[in-house]
Amino acid sequence: MLNNQHQFNTSVAISTEDVDRINKKFYGRYNFPWYPSFLEKYSSQALWLTALNQELGYFDNSRVVNQPKIWVAGCGTNQAVITALKYPESEVLGTDLSKESLAAARSLAEQLNVTNLRLEERSLNEVCYEEEFDLIICTGVIHHNYDPSMPLRALTKALKQDGILELFVYNYYHRITTTSLQKAIRMLCSTTDNPNTELEHSISERMINDDSANYSDFMSAFINTMRNWNESAMADAILQPVEYSYTVESFDDLVQQCNLEIVAPCLNSWDKAEGRLSWDVKFGDEKVQQQYHTLPDVERWKIGNLLKLEQSPHIWFYVQRKDSSYAAKPIKKICEEFLSTRFTKMSCEYQHFVIQDDNEFIAEETPKSKPHPKFPQDKVAAKVFMKCKGDKTIAQILAELNLSLSQYEINELRLHLTTPAYPYICAV
Ligand SMILES: C[S@@+](CC[C@H](N)C(=O)[O-])C[C@H]1O[C@@H](n2cnc3c(N)ncnc32)[C@H](O)[C@@H]1O
């Protein structure tokens, strides 16, 4: 077993070259992700950069430099384009091993006249960038490789000493159903050692549409949801030839092995949609809660992963080089700084492009603005937001509102107001 990650469907993983070849073919056939229905084009990156720095715990906007050089590693069809549109003042590089996915990205970039993006066909297993990037985004990529630590080492090498890497790998407890189904399909098709995606695809479609099979309730419920999925989503979930998945514990081991360390969780759109904002556990028992809070962040998140299982967040973290000149800030300290900071409302206009029937994107005449919706939906966050006028600290606002929040609630408030998922306020 390679390292101590959880191996699931890795029987075709014979060598790096084999797996790269298999992935190239797979993502050539199933471009991922599928076409977005809209795209947002910004003329300034201030809102995104501020929110990113705030999520990392730097309310003075100092952690990630002003015009970060960005690499979207394993960018698929649109992630590098979306990043270049959000960071128009930065140089963005997008790489992927799938020619077809890059062609889709190129076509999007041309349609939206994106001029700050370079796209290159490269495997992460063969790149040799050295200390080049301030920000690297690599989501959903390394767990599909022969040995995930190999591309991760390449990312470490490419990161500047004080750079930040946004990294997402599968959560072991999210993958139980998908991986069991995937393995069953592969056994059914006798393709465990030799992928035959077309055969697996046709058998999966039949299984998805089979109303009378006596699968477990859990499996039936999952299969039912897949009936509305498009081909790429289905393929990504159950036909991907190689996948590893991780717990916070094994993820921490993996990043440590690659000379990296966890900085903070990254609140992503999936967890936002599910309302899974925090890794922390809320215990009803005071003694247990106190004991829990004696532990460092990563240890608490490991426990959160074990106790929340399938309801824990995605393993999606910001990490940095172990030799970074910044120490990873404990969440408690970030919350204290949040409480003692004055904030004002932030907003930013963007051009909204909507997809047409012929897959062309057309700009709407009137610009839209972020954040959207205009007011936080969370009740406490909305009350605090209304009072953020740059004159009072969050602690003063909470006192004025007569709100006494626990450590857990303060952290949720911070996430609900200051992060890229909820970019409502910025420090003055
Ligand atoms: C699940 S998709 C994720 C795409 C994108 N990162 C996102 O989150 O939307 C995985 C992508 O990683 C790419 N990929 C996998 N292994 C790679 C490697 N070794 N080097 C470069 N790209 C790779 C695939 O071609 C595919 O486009």
Side-chain angles (χ1 to χ4, degrees), residues 217-232:
D217 293 346
F218 216 49
M219 183 61 80
S220 297
F222 173 65
I223 286 185
N224 275 339
T225 62
M226 284 183 66
R227 291 192 181 149
N228 305 321
W229 290 13
N230 68 36
E231 193 182 78
S232 277

Side-chain angles (χ1 to χ4, degrees), residues 20 23 27 32-33 74-76 79 96-98 101 122-125 139-141 144-145 236:
D20 276 9
N23 274 331
Y27 286 107
F32 188 93
C75 58
Q79 193 182 29
D96 201 284
L97 47 63
S98 158
S101 298
R122 295 242 167 119
S123 167
L124 287 179
N125 295 308
T139 60
V141 179
H144 293 311
N145 279 235
D236 188 60

Side-chain angles (χ1 to χ4, degrees), residues 13 16 25 85 101 154 201 222 238 308 344 362 391 404 409 423:
T16 297
K25 193 167 163 209
L85 288 168
S101 298
H201 186 150
F222 173 65
I238 59 170
K308 294 187 182 188
T344 184
I362 304 285
D391 54 345
S404 161
E409 290 162 336

Side-chain angles (χ1 to χ4, degrees), residues 59 65 74 88 91 93 116 139 151 194 205 270 295 328 365 389 426:
F59 298 106
V65 294
E91 247 179 77
L93 168 68
N116 58 327
T139 60
N194 199 5
E205 278 189 338
W270 308 100
L295 300 174
E365 267 178 34
K389 295 176 184 157
C426 61

Side-chain angles (χ1 to χ4, degrees), residues 76-91:
T77 56
N78 62 37
Q79 193 182 29
V81 180
I82 290 171
T83 306
L85 288 168
K86 277 168 84 172
Y87 288 91
E89 295 134 40
S90 283
E91 247 179 77

Side-chain angles (χ1 to χ4, degrees), residues 53-324:
N53 272 308
Q54 292 189 155
E55 186 163 35
L56 291 163
Y58 290 80
F59 298 106
D60 60 357
N61 216 355
S62 64
R63 180 64 185 84
V64 177
V65 294
N66 205 9
Q67 291 184 347
K69 195 171 167 200
I70 306 175
W71 177 23
V72 186
C75 58
T77 56
N78 62 37
Q79 193 182 29
V81 180
I82 290 171
T83 306
L85 288 168
K86 277 168 84 172
Y87 288 91
E89 295 134 40
S90 283
E91 247 179 77
V92 178
L93 168 68
T95 59
D96 201 284
L97 47 63
S98 158
K99 201 190 278 302
E100 293 79 0
S101 298
L102 289 169
R106 212 163 271 126
S107 146
L108 281 185
E110 273 165 22
Q111 282 192 52
L112 273 80
N113 198 17
V114 176
T115 52
N116 58 327
L117 173 65
R118 192 159 48 95
L119 293 166
E120 286 177 9
E121 187 185 331
R122 295 242 167 119
S123 167
L124 287 179
N125 295 308
E126 64 187 34
V127 293
C128 43
Y129 305 116
E130 264 185 63
E131 308 219 10
E132 275 193 44
F133 300 96
D134 302 290
L135 177 63
I136 301 180
I137 301 170
C138 185
T139 60
V141 179
I142 63 167
H143 52 214
H144 293 311
N145 279 235
Y146 168 65
D147 173 1
S149 72
M150 194 166 163
L152 189 54
R153 279 182 210 284
L155 298 176
T156 309
K157 202 165 166 203
L159 206 54
K160 287 188 187 165
Q161 186 184 1
D162 288 337
I164 288 286
L165 162 62
E166 178 187 327
L167 185 64
F168 154 60
V169 294
Y170 285 143
N171 182 330
Y172 173 77
Y173 301 112
H174 292 183
R175 301 300 296 175
I176 307 280
T177 322
T178 44
T179 307
S180 306
L181 177 57
Q182 186 183 52
K183 203 160 196 165
I185 293 165
R186 215 156 276 173
M187 287 175 163
L188 200 55
C189 299
S190 305
T191 50
T192 32
D193 296 330
N194 199 5
N196 178 344
T197 310
E198 288 308 323
L199 175 62
E200 290 171 23
H201 186 150
S202 71
I203 291 290
S204 331
E205 278 189 338
R206 286 176 170 276
M207 290 173 71
I208 291 169
N209 291 313
D210 182 352
D211 280 327
S212 51
N214 65 341
Y215 308 132
S216 88
D217 293 346
F218 216 49
M219 183 61 80
S220 297
F222 173 65
I223 286 185
N224 275 339
T225 62
M226 284 183 66
R227 291 192 181 149
N228 305 321
W229 290 13
N230 68 36
E231 193 182 78
S232 277
M234 185 274 284
D236 188 60
I238 59 170
L239 301 180
Q240 220 304 334
V242 175
E243 75 167 44
Y244 294 89
S245 60
Y246 295 82
T247 58
V248 174
E249 190 179 4
S250 57
F251 176 76
D252 186 39
D253 288 348
L254 173 74
V255 298
Q256 297 269 358
Q257 270 170 40
C258 298
N259 290 321
L260 295 163
E261 63 184 3
I262 297 178
V263 177
C266 174
L267 181 47
N268 54 84
S269 58
W270 308 100
D271 290 325
K272 179 181 170 183
E274 299 282 343
R276 295 172 188 164
L277 261 60
S278 164
W279 276 100
D280 273 325
V281 185
K282 267 191 285 189
F283 296 95
D285 186 291
E286 210 174 304
K287 185 102 182 113
V288 182
Q289 185 72 21
Q290 275 171 9
Q291 175 73 20
Y292 179 66
H293 276 289
T294 60
L295 300 174
D297 287 341
V298 177
E299 296 308 306
R300 287 202 321 279
W301 300 335
K302 288 179 189 172
I303 296 171
N305 198 196
L306 292 169
L307 296 178
K308 294 187 182 188
L309 295 174
E310 81 288 356
Q311 284 169 23
S312 56
H314 283 69
I315 306 228
W316 200 314
F317 286 93
Y318 296 111
V319 302
Q320 66 182 14
R321 276 172 45 174
K322 277 187 189 166
D323 65 349
S324 167

